[in-house]
Amino acid sequence: QVQLQESGPGLVKPSETLSLTCTVSGGSVNSGSYFWNWIRQPPGKELEWIGYIYYTGSTNYNPSLKSRVTMSVDTSSNQFSLKLNSVTAADTAFYYCARDSAGWYSFDSWGQGTLVTVSS
Amino acid sequence: QSALTQPASVSGSPGQSITISCTGTSSDIGVYHYVSWYQHHPGKAPKLMIYDVSNRPSGVSNRFSGSKSGNTASLTISGLQTEDESVYYCSSYTSRSTPVVFGGGTKLTVL
């Protein structure tokens, strides 16, 4: 059974870069069967899809965040990562990594999430 | 305001059935068969309960069922159990600029 676990700093200063990693166990990121996603939820607000990366490195980002987002995949470590630059308080949220195995944005495995707070 | 509209809360007694609605538009639920439902206990990983409107992943109880009519999808939980108490989110593929949208979540209380 695949498991996903987010890791990274819980506090980021405004204007700096948020960096998170998702470690996959029980499965491989180096598989053509899956899309590896990041999703966030600001406290008290709705879930927002950030984007996905495929094992080839191909990406698809939410247009509203595209100018600030970079995703990468490290098949040797079985991890994928998110970088979000120029953060503001509006980027404070629970960040989740999730797997889409069908390609239609249905997420069959999720991490438990990590809270990232943007504050000086 | 969420892209998909869900009631903020629903409640039921053990053994009863409840239905959670998820209302979208002709850009998402109304035209695509890619509606999913998730169960989320705070602090834990969200769990996929229904995909493609009415399909259950392996291991999900058959007490959970999904359907769709027009722009509204529904999640029905029959034979309510205390462990069903959670927050439920719907999502749908969409033709908008972002390919997937979510509902605001419904807190289910099992009285």
Side-chain angles (χ1 to χ4, degrees), chain B residues 67-103:
Chain B
S67 63
K68 185 185 84 160
S69 177
N71 294 339
T72 299
S74 298
L75 173 70
T76 298
I77 309 173
S78 59
L80 272 178
Q81 299 179 1
T82 55
E83 58 262 37
D84 298 333
E85 188 164 290
S86 188
V87 180
Y88 292 86
Y89 294 94
C90 62
S91 73
S92 174
Y93 181 77
T94 172
S95 59
R96 304 179 198 177
S97 58
T98 180
V100 60
V101 288
F102 294 89

Side-chain angles (χ1 to χ4, degrees), chain A residues 63-78:
Chain A
S64 69
L65 299 169
K66 188 174 183 177
S67 63
R68 299 194 291 131
V69 171
T70 302
M71 293 183 186
S72 59
V73 62
D74 182 349
T75 56
S76 64
S77 299
N78 217 29

Side-chain angles (χ1 to χ4, degrees), chain B residues 11-25:
Chain B
S11 63
S13 300
Q16 288 186 333
S17 295
I18 63 94
T19 296
I20 300 172
S21 63
C22 173
T23 301
T25 70

Side-chain angles (χ1 to χ4, degrees), chain A residues 34-54:
Chain A
Y34 308 116
F35 297 82
W36 304 97
N37 294 258
W38 288 96
I39 296 162
R40 70 179 183 178
Q41 184 174 34
K45 296 188 178 181
E46 70 183 71
L47 292 158
E48 178 182 36
W49 176 77
I50 301 171
Y52 73 66
I53 187 163
Y54 195 50

Side-chain angles (χ1 to χ4, degrees), chain A:
Chain A
Q1 180 180 354
V2 67
Q3 291 188 317
L4 286 71
Q5 179 66 59
E6 305 88 352
S7 60
L11 181 64
V12 181
K13 289 182 168 55
S15 81
E16 295 190 344
T17 297
L18 178 160
S19 295
L20 294 174
T21 295
C22 182
T23 300
V24 179
S25 57
S28 174
V29 297
N30 194 23
S31 167
S33 300
Y34 308 116
F35 297 82
W36 304 97
N37 294 258
W38 288 96
I39 296 162
R40 70 179 183 178
Q41 184 174 34
K45 296 188 178 181
E46 70 183 71
L47 292 158
E48 178 182 36
W49 176 77
I50 301 171
Y52 73 66
I53 187 163
Y54 195 50
Y55 79 107
T56 58
S58 174
T59 57
N60 187 21
Y61 300 146
N62 187 323
S64 69
L65 299 169
K66 188 174 183 177
S67 63
R68 299 194 291 131
V69 171
T70 302
M71 293 183 186
S72 59
V73 62
D74 182 349
T75 56
S76 64
S77 299
N78 217 29
Q79 297 175 328
F80 61 104
S81 299
L82 166 70
K83 289 187 186 299
L84 180 66
N85 61 36
S86 304
V87 297
T88 69
D91 295 309
T92 293
F94 287 92
Y95 285 77
Y96 299 92
C97 55
R99 186 184 78 173
D100 171 10
S101 59
W104 289 106
Y105 302 90
S106 180
F107 308 106
D108 62 356
S109 293
W110 296 63
Q112 65 181 31
T114 187
L115 176 62
V116 178
T117 301
V118 178
S119 175
S120 55

